[in-house]
Amino acid sequence: MENHDIPTRPEETLDGTVVFNVPFPKDLKDLAGMAPVIVKQPYHIDYIHSYGQDSPFFAGLANRRLLGSRCTACGHTFGTPRMSCMACGGDCEWVELPQEGRVHTFTVCHFGSEEFLPECPYVLALVEFEGVDTLFLTRLLGVDPARPSLDWIGMKVRAKFRRLSRFKPTDVWFVPA
Ligand SMILES: [Zn+2]
């Protein structure tokens, strides 16, 4: 007599991640021509990450302020968070960057990491600020990535901030001023 409550076979999945009987050669030399085994699996991590000494930069973004750093010894000014001076090794202090600058250079990205794929193609620009010695890497919106133009070089741009901060570098981007 058959008991229908007791399974007689394991549950099968339809997602192709479980493979039985992968072909395997008798002679290991034939493995050189083997096609790659490809599996599909969900991937998720909760990543707890400390911004450490860079934290004020992200707190600044949340408050629509763009922070850079300046060397207390030689005065070199950086368009990014920096605790120690790249030029002389001195200690840096926080300074507020102007929210207007100019496009130093740019590139159109047709591919990117997972987070940016939905935005492709998009424009990445290096922005220069008056009185700041290094550049700021950021997305440039409000221009057409399909029609990149050298006229964008030197174009005046201004910062825009996410209304609801995610405390990520993408909380700020630039648009033509
Ligand atoms: Zn310095």
Side-chain angles (χ1 to χ4, degrees), residues 33-158:
M34 182 179 157
V37 172
I38 298 169
V39 299
K40 175 191 169 194
Q41 62 184 13
Y43 179 80
H44 173 84
I45 54 167
D46 281 324
Y47 187 54
I48 298 176
H49 172 70
S50 168
Y51 285 133
Q53 292 177 314
D54 287 343
S55 297
F57 175 78
F58 295 94
L61 295 184
N63 288 279
R64 296 169 181 271
R65 312 274 289 271
L66 199 53
L67 298 184
S69 37
R70 181 187 294 131
C71 177
T72 55
C74 76
H76 204 85
T77 305
F78 301 93
T80 48
R82 187 160 283 282
M83 288 301 106
S84 300
C85 177
M86 277 198 303
C88 78
D91 290 339
C92 289
E93 61 185 2
W94 292 102
V95 291
E96 185 157 5
L97 297 175
Q99 297 203 354
E100 280 203 355
R102 290 185 186 277
V103 174
H104 182 80
T105 189
F106 69 90
T107 188
V108 179
C109 298
H110 293 273
F111 195 73
S113 55
E114 195 175 353
E115 180 159 344
F116 294 99
L117 282 179
E119 292 185 41
C120 288
Y122 63 94
V123 179
L124 263 188
L126 282 165
V127 173
E128 58 187 45
F129 302 106
E130 191 83 30
V132 178
D133 298 304
T134 66
L135 304 166
F136 185 76
L137 181 66
T138 187
R139 286 171 305 159
L140 178 61
L141 274 69
V143 292
D144 185 356
R147 292 187 173 76
S149 166
L150 288 178
D151 290 343
W152 297 352
I153 306 283
M155 179 172 67
K156 238 182 163 183
V157 288
R158 67 183 166 88

Side-chain angles (χ1 to χ4, degrees), residues 153-170:
I153 306 283
M155 179 172 67
K156 238 182 163 183
V157 288
R158 67 183 166 88
K160 301 269 278 181
F161 299 87
R162 276 186 70 90
R163 191 167 56 88
L164 301 172
S165 178
R166 288 180 177 164
F167 299 100
K168 290 189 171 184
T170 45

